[in-house]
Amino acid sequence: MVIKKARLTIDDKTLELDILSGSLGPGVIDINSLFKSGYFTYDLGFNSTAACESKITFIDGDKGVLLYRGYPIEQLASQSNFLEVCYLLLNGELPTPKQYQDFCKEIAHHTMVHEQISNFYNGFRRDAHPMAIMVGVVGALSAFYHDTLDINNPEHRAISALRLIGKMPTIAAMCYKYSIGQPFMPPQNHLSYADNFLHMMYATPCEKFAINPVLVRAIDRIFILHADHEQNASTSTVRLAGSTGANPFACISAGIGALWGPAHGGANEAVLNMLQEIGDIKHINKYIARAKDPNDTFRLMGFGHRVYKNYDPRAKVMRETCHEVLDAIGLHDAPIFKLAMELERIALQDDYFIEKKLYPNVDFYSGITLSAIGIPTNMFTVIFALARTVGWVAQWNEMISNPYRLGRPRQLYTGYKERDYKDIQKRND
Ligand code: ACO
């Protein structure tokens, strides 16, 4: 809806631009027609640019609000479960009991991977980073489902969504099993989504396996909290790849690649690496000083966020879960967790972090929680990718179901002007 007009005057010409209003959030100046004036806009890191319209997730970074389809994340994390949240993100509404039951059954129906998929793992070194394996295996799924790759067919898109959500825990757990040389464990469809994942991670064929329900609940919460986060770097990557008409498995694989970086999904792994590097409570002040030094590239991993300039609402919930897990397994006094809590305390009182609004983010607490559960650090981002798959798929599907255009950003070119090619013999060393 157009709420008012903005006027942009360049030389003696004035352009009238619509200011659109969404249901929540700031007004958005529609610059779609601007390129006709001979000008582009310059927006490093897309700080001020809305590249799409979406009804899925809303964030108010200043107030610390996160809504999935209008529902506050705190309510979903405490009252719902991951598969219900998946249904909500994909379909826009919470399911009825029958819809929920059918959805769980459909997801369970897609948990196994084709036997040939197992062969892909053998092609990787045992010490390969599991994210490297995941990018490859998820992209390779497109080679298995030729029958449902028509992106313009809503039924094909729906089946691809179920396949991706159903298979991600299996693929992720296989990455881990491969790295430690244990046999792959098949999915157990009578277990909940989170329980099944932990079963495939930790069970072996030689003994019975049961896990503390507090840990299952923590994993389910991590999945809920990471399920979607509107147009972040990996989701925008999925949309951009999707706008070319690429198949969903290729698009999700692109998203996994984007998530891998330490400024995004790799942050929880980076948190644990940082804690190990700090090593002892007595070194914290030295590292805080390094984080504040403008000439030092070191940053406190797990602190700060591009959008939240207030406490990340997911971090609040995750902090609670983190303490529940540490209590349940009696690890509160383990040196690395004591170090993490002391770092949190000191950073929250430090003027530099207060002034720059650098609060601990969800990755700070999810990293500590996953580590306490016994998940190896290189699996942290894999778990994030598993959880975010539903968000990527929901965003991709929303884009394809509506009118969209090929994503093609512009640039401010600062290279050479046109010049003539010089024969190699005529160039001086
Ligand atoms: N430690 C120390 N200083 C920091 C940190 C940090 N973690 N984060 C930001 N700052 C400082 C910057 O140096 C900068 O200082 P300046 O104004 O003096 O130049 C200022 O705070 C603003 O930082 P920017 O990088 O401009 O803010 P941006 O919004 O681009 O950064 C980011 C967000 C990338 C997440 C950043 O805070 C960071 O690198 N954090 C650590 C990595 C991390 O935890 N990432 C997880 C993000 S959450 C997620 O993906 C789920």
Side-chain angles (χ1 to χ4, degrees):
M1 188 178 67
V2 180
I3 44 168
K4 49 187 171 174
K5 302 272 182 189
R7 270 166 213 91
L8 177 66
T9 304
I10 305 171
D11 301 328
D12 55 350
K13 269 197 181 156
T14 297
L15 280 166
E16 270 215 340
L17 301 166
D18 291 343
I19 301 185
L20 310 174
S21 135
S23 45
L24 288 169
V28 172
I29 304 171
D30 181 349
I31 57 163
N32 268 298
S33 60
L34 189 65
F35 77 100
K36 290 182 197 149
S37 70
Y39 287 93
F40 300 147
T41 51
Y42 180 57
D43 184 15
L44 195 64
F46 304 116
N47 256 334
S48 311
T49 298
C52 66
E53 200 184 307
S54 181
K55 293 182 169 53
I56 301 175
T57 294
F58 175 77
I59 301 173
D60 184 330
D62 292 328
K63 293 196 184 127
V65 170
L66 170 61
L67 311 175
Y68 290 169
R69 300 282 191 183
Y71 295 102
I73 192 67
E74 296 86 345
Q75 290 182 22
L76 293 170
S78 60
Q79 296 170 50
S80 184
N81 65 59
F82 181 64
L83 280 189
E84 189 180 55
V85 167
C86 287
Y87 185 98
L88 173 70
L89 288 169
L90 292 171
N91 299 293
E93 295 296 338
L94 286 167
T96 63
K98 165 96 174 65
Q99 286 168 331
Y100 176 67
Q101 222 179 13
D102 290 348
F103 183 70
C104 292
K105 233 193 248 170
E106 280 178 307
I107 293 288
H109 181 71
H110 289 287
T111 49
M112 278 207 302
V113 292
H114 194 289
E115 201 46 33
Q116 284 297 105
I117 289 275
S118 321
N119 294 335
F120 281 101
Y121 288 81
N122 291 325
F124 287 94
R125 286 169 55 131
R126 292 271 174 192
D127 62 354
H129 195 289
M131 283 296 276
I133 303 180
M134 200 175 216
V135 172
V137 173
V138 172
L141 289 178
S142 45
F144 287 77
Y145 302 111
H146 303 284
D147 55 331
T148 50
L149 287 187
D150 178 3
I151 62 159
N152 297 314
N153 182 331
E155 277 174 30
H156 285 200
R157 295 202 300 271
I159 293 177
S160 297
L162 295 171
R163 282 193 170 130
L164 276 158
I165 298 165
K167 290 182 200 317
M168 262 333 207
T170 316
I171 291 170
M174 286 169 82
C175 291
Y176 175 60
K177 287 298 197 191
Y178 181 73
S179 73
I180 57 167
Q182 285 186 4
F184 299 142
M185 292 300 289
Q188 299 292 315
N189 288 346
H190 66 281
L191 298 175
S192 74
Y193 192 85
D195 206 351
N196 177 43
F197 171 62
L198 289 171
H199 187 274
M200 289 188 289
M201 284 281 292
Y202 293 123
T204 60
C206 38
E207 51 193 338
K208 280 208 160 132
F209 175 80
I211 195 152
N212 184 336
V214 175
L215 310 191
V216 176
R217 179 74 193 130
I219 289 288
D220 195 68
R221 260 196 180 179
I222 288 176
F223 291 167
I224 294 174
L225 297 177
H226 290 85
D228 195 43
H229 212 228
E230 51 115 312
Q231 311 311 321
N232 54 80
S234 57
T235 303
S236 299
T237 302
V238 170
R239 280 189 179 257
L240 201 56
S243 77
T244 69
N247 74 67
F249 303 105
C251 297
I252 302 306
S253 176
I256 296 171
L259 187 78
W260 196 352
H264 190 12
N268 51 14
E269 179 176 347
V271 168
L272 260 288
N273 293 339
M274 175 190 73
L275 292 174
Q276 270 146 10
E277 186 187 325
I278 298 175
D280 193 289
I281 288 180
K282 63 178 189 273
H283 300 140
I284 289 180
N285 285 336
K286 187 176 93 192
Y287 279 87
I288 296 259
R290 282 190 60 193
K292 295 186 327 192
D293 180 353
N295 300 316
D296 191 325
T297 53
F298 175 80
R299 283 186 170 197
L300 273 196
M301 286 294 128
F303 284 78
H305 196 277
R306 168 58 63 81
V307 179
Y308 294 114
K309 300 303 173 196
N310 197 324
Y311 218 95
D312 175 345
R314 301 168 304 170
K316 262 190 213 155
V317 180
M318 203 58 238
R319 184 179 195 279
E320 218 180 88
T321 302
C322 177
H323 285 284
E324 273 167 28
V325 166
L326 293 177
D327 284 343
I329 45 184
L331 272 179
H332 253 125
D333 288 333
I336 191 145
F337 303 122
K338 271 174 114 169
L339 168 66
M341 294 309 141
E342 186 59 7
L343 182 66
E344 175 207 40
R345 192 188 66 77
I346 294 176
L348 282 173
Q349 289 174 357
D350 191 292
D351 286 346
Y352 172 93
F353 288 88
I354 294 169
E355 274 161 27
K356 293 193 187 294
K357 300 184 177 172
L358 298 170
Y359 299 95
N361 58 44
V362 63
D363 290 319
F364 184 72
Y365 300 108
S366 67
I368 300 167
T369 309
L370 290 170
S371 170
I373 292 174
I375 307 266
T377 42
N378 64 3
M379 281 294 292
F380 290 5
T381 319
V382 167
I383 290 175
F384 191 161
L386 182 174
R388 181 56 57 83
T389 294
V390 62
W392 290 330
V393 170
Q395 300 268 354
W396 168 81
N397 198 24
E398 181 183 64
M399 180 180 74
I400 306 287
S401 317
N402 291 289
Y404 66 98
R405 300 189 72 194
L406 170 71
R408 176 60 170 86
R410 303 290 190 152
Q411 64 172 1
L412 171 63
Y413 177 70
T414 53
Y416 284 110
K417 294 188 175 156
E418 186 172 330
R419 51 186 180 152
D420 287 327
Y421 178 82
K422 208 185 218 178
D423 189 89
I424 193 163
Q425 308 303 341
K426 294 185 184 153
R427 287 174 234 155
N428 299 325
D429 281 333

